[in-house]
Amino acid sequence: MGPVSTDRYPHATAHSRHADRANIHMTDTPNENQQSNPSSQQPPRAPVKNWSPLANAMRHDHSDLVTKRGNPIDPADPGNRATRLVTMVLTLIVVTLVIIWQNVPDEWKEKTLLSQPTPKQVQSPALPADGQFGQVDLMGRVFLRGYDLLQSTQVMDQFAVFEGSLSNEDQVRLIMLAGEFEGDAEALDRINELQSTLVNEEVDRSMDELVKNIELSDEDLEKRAEHDLIFEELKALETIYTDGIDALEDEQRAQLSARYGLIGKVALTHGLDDDDPFREPFINNGMKIGIFGLLILIVGVLAPITGFVLLILGIIGFASGKMRMRAHVPTRGGSVFLETYGVFVFGFLVLTVGTFFINARWPDMGLLLLLLQWSLLLFVFWGLVRGMYPANWRKAIGLHCGEGIFKEIGCGIVGYIASIPVYIVGVLVTVVVLVIQEGLSSGNGGEPVQASNPIFDMIANGDIFLVLLLFTLATIWAPLVEEAIFRGALYRHLRGSLHWVLAAFISAVLFAYMHNYGPLLVAPLIALGFMFAVMREWRGSLIAPITAHFMHNFTLMVFMFTLVQLIKDPL
């Protein structure tokens, strides 16, 4: 007798060894009376250790197959062994390329891939210094905008953790901040210290050139030009703290203002009264900064506490068996959702690499390239292209209402709050890694490590149309597309072969490294991706993780936009 058709016998799809591996039970689905009366529910039947498709088809009850945790077991997804093997190999290649591309510094890409790398133009005073809206710049802006509330506090102590590994531009920022919060003498001491450091670096470089007969590289010439520029700025600051701002030349004023933004503009008002019309606009946001900080503090305390309680309750519910898992587990053998993930990653690679080369040649195309990101939405529907019925496809990928759209949204809200402590752990891991990396970098004489958020930088420097586009991408595109791909397609495929914890972790790692935050900043994304996968396993539907993803991105976007409005230059 030939194999039994899986279309005719929907339960006859798994091999007996797969049934043993997944701890499959055949249970009767309780009716409403049984659900209301737990004592009337029949215990699950013992696992079937030796069964066949024919024997399963001949059963009288035809009850659903479920895992030990209660997950319904579906027939194998479309695809066969050959398509699965080919898709796996191609997907591994494309995913590796994307991860490498996303985590390689842009400077390396420019030097390696572009015939004419974009020059940094460090001598142009019209350009902001490197690290604009970096650690020191961001913190300094916040402190200066709250100047009237912070005059008596030890503001400069907040930068102590960074001082061993700062760029020259950030050292200049610290000089200007020290002049405002600690006085002229401290600022002049810092100027002398930085001048000595720069002189020693120039002497070492000249000795290498003369004694070792080493021709200076383009990088060395760039550093020399940067040092010349810093020396000019230190001379201007020395004039401010010895002779006053009136002794500055117009060119020096323009350079400090253009290169250092708000911090430079405050330095150009040094010595004026705080209510002076030239100084007051730069330091008059203390009340707004205070209210914003208070709200962040309240949310930052209440949300983790509430989330920790919900997380513990969830763990207890899962351990006791009261929390039923609803995600459908496919029988091993299909490939259509691995294909979905693979074609999406390939499209993403083409888009990101193309964006890099187009931006290098036509920088004004950035807005259009962001709009093209919406085209990746089409890859979500690959299963339909492969011939799946729409109802079966939606059920498998998780795009259905589960137990009701409002209940699923509510579960997403609760799930996100419970995810906050896990996310905080990821943030702490990243902080520790960055501190270690900065220590190693400074100890070995390497370049300072600058943590940055590309989204924040675009919000800070973009126009209203760019901000709106970023907002819609973060709060609509990302929750829908990323959840459908990573917690829908990828997790669905992995779940057919792996325990849900391992499937959740693998999907979370791949999700994190698809972002271009750098290899040191992915721990929070891994934490979030894992918790989103937990919600998918718990609810079966993608509505809960989509809701949680939306809440996270919406909160961060509102936070960043508000912060930019508070710290941006008023003039």
Side-chain angles (χ1 to χ4, degrees), residues 23 33 119 151 277 310 348 380 384 434 463 491 511 530 544:
N23 292 321
N33 293 330
Q151 293 183 64
L310 292 175
F348 180 82
V380 173
L384 298 177
L434 285 177
D463 57 24
Y491 183 77
F511 165 72
F530 181 83

Side-chain angles (χ1 to χ4, degrees), residues 120-129 132 229 232-233 250-261:
K120 289 186 178 180
Q121 297 178 329
V122 295
Q123 292 180 315
S124 174
L127 295 177
Q132 184 82 10
L229 189 61
E232 294 177 8
E233 293 167 350
D250 291 341
E251 183 178 350
Q252 292 175 317
R253 293 175 181 271
Q255 182 167 319
L256 291 178
S257 176
R259 293 233 321 148
Y260 297 98

Side-chain angles (χ1 to χ4, degrees), residues 67-353:
T67 65
K68 185 177 180 180
R69 297 297 308 187
N71 299 78
I73 295 180
D74 288 347
D77 294 325
N80 53 49
R81 184 176 181 180
T83 59
R84 188 171 68 253
L85 180 60
V86 172
T87 303
M88 185 179 300
V89 172
L90 294 178
T91 300
L92 283 174
I93 294 173
V94 176
V95 168
T96 301
L97 292 175
V98 169
I99 291 176
I100 293 174
W101 180 267
Q102 290 291 80
N103 292 278
V104 167
D106 289 339
E107 293 79 5
W108 184 90
K109 297 176 188 175
E110 292 178 357
K111 293 179 180 179
T112 306
L113 302 177
L114 297 180
S115 57
Q116 295 180 345
T118 305
K120 289 186 178 180
Q121 297 178 329
V122 295
Q123 292 180 315
S124 174
L127 295 177
D130 291 340
Q132 184 82 10
F133 288 103
Q135 297 161 326
V136 174
D137 188 40
L138 179 60
M139 292 174 61
R141 285 169 177 263
V142 172
F143 292 146
L144 288 174
R145 295 297 270 165
Y147 182 82
D148 52 341
L149 299 177
L150 298 171
Q151 293 183 64
S152 60
T153 62
Q154 301 297 319
V155 169
M156 298 307 298
D157 292 343
Q158 308 304 313
F159 298 97
V161 68
F162 306 127
E163 290 204 43
S165 59
L166 291 178
S167 65
N168 291 330
E169 290 85 357
D170 279 340
Q171 294 285 2
V172 174
R173 289 187 176 94
L174 286 185
I175 291 172
M176 292 185 280
L177 292 172
E180 298 304 320
F181 291 104
E182 295 188 348
D184 297 349
E186 177 64 22
L188 290 171
D189 287 343
R190 288 176 176 267
I191 289 174
N192 293 331
E193 182 179 351
L194 183 54
Q195 285 176 334
S196 299
T197 301
L198 295 177
V199 168
N200 291 334
E201 290 179 359
E202 284 296 318
V203 170
D204 292 341
R205 191 175 291 109
S206 299
M207 290 297 293
D208 287 338
E209 182 182 6
L210 295 175
V211 176
K212 299 180 182 179
N213 195 25
I214 298 176
E215 185 178 354
L216 293 182
S217 63
D218 291 341
E219 184 177 356
D220 290 331
L221 293 174
E222 189 176 272
K223 287 184 178 180
R224 176 165 290 180
E226 175 195 343
H227 282 190
D228 292 341
L229 189 61
I230 297 295
F231 272 120
E232 294 177 8
E233 293 167 350
L234 293 179
K235 181 179 179 181
L237 291 176
E238 190 174 15
T239 300
I240 290 176
Y241 302 123
T242 54
D243 301 327
I245 56 176
D246 293 336
L248 283 178
E249 299 177 0
D250 291 341
E251 183 178 350
Q252 292 175 317
R253 293 175 181 271
Q255 182 167 319
L256 291 178
S257 176
R259 293 233 321 148
Y260 297 98
L262 179 69
I263 297 178
K265 292 174 182 178
V266 171
L268 293 174
T269 65
H270 184 74
L272 299 178
D273 293 335
D274 291 345
D275 57 354
D276 188 281
F278 291 103
R279 180 177 174 84
E280 194 264 345
F282 301 109
I283 59 172
N284 69 345
N285 247 14
M287 185 60 66
K288 294 179 181 179
I289 289 286
I291 294 174
F292 179 72
L294 181 61
L295 291 175
I296 296 300
L297 180 63
I298 292 174
V299 174
V301 172
L302 292 181
I305 292 175
T306 306
F308 183 75
V309 172
L310 292 175
L311 182 62
I312 295 299
L313 291 176
I315 293 174
I316 294 174
F318 177 80
S320 64
K322 295 181 180 180
M323 179 180 290
R324 181 167 65 90
M325 296 301 174
R326 298 166 176 81
H328 285 238
V329 178
T331 301
R332 184 176 183 177
S335 64
V336 66
F337 288 108
L338 180 62
E339 297 169 24
T340 302
Y341 172 68
V343 296
F344 171 83
V345 175
F346 177 75
F348 180 82
L349 178 63
V350 171
L351 181 62
T352 52
V353 174

Side-chain angles (χ1 to χ4, degrees), residues 22-30 44-45 64-74 318 321-329 403 495 499-500 536-540:
N23 292 321
I24 296 176
H25 292 258
M26 291 185 297
T27 62
D28 294 319
T29 303
R45 289 180 172 85
D64 292 334
L65 295 176
V66 298
T67 65
K68 185 177 180 180
R69 297 297 308 187
N71 299 78
I73 295 180
D74 288 347
F318 177 80
K322 295 181 180 180
M323 179 180 290
R324 181 167 65 90
M325 296 301 174
R326 298 166 176 81
H328 285 238
V329 178
E403 297 181 358
R495 191 66 178 90
H499 189 278
W500 72 267
R536 160 76 153 134
E537 180 74 14
W538 172 37
R539 302 307 306 168

